[in-house]
Amino acid sequence: KIIKHNYPMKRSHAHDLMGRLATFAWENKKPFVEVVLANEEVIRRITDPFQYIVESKIIIKTLAKKNTIEKKR
């Protein structure tokens, strides 16, 4: 089953996920990167092109808004 996320991961969720993975790596004496790359949620997120499309739209809208405000000054 492929799950596509049309929203960015919340910072608090990413922080908690990395914390759990770091704890698991430490307790099991495994390299952190190995644990991260074995995590299905991380892999789904970093290989989901829709994630980047959504982020691109947000960045463009933010820059356009900032540019409009600066031009009014």
Side-chain angles (χ1 to χ4, degrees), residues 10-23:
K10 291 183 179 181
R11 181 183 177 117
S12 60
H13 180 74
H15 182 269
D16 292 344
L17 176 60
M18 290 299 113
R20 287 193 308 274
L21 295 177
T23 300

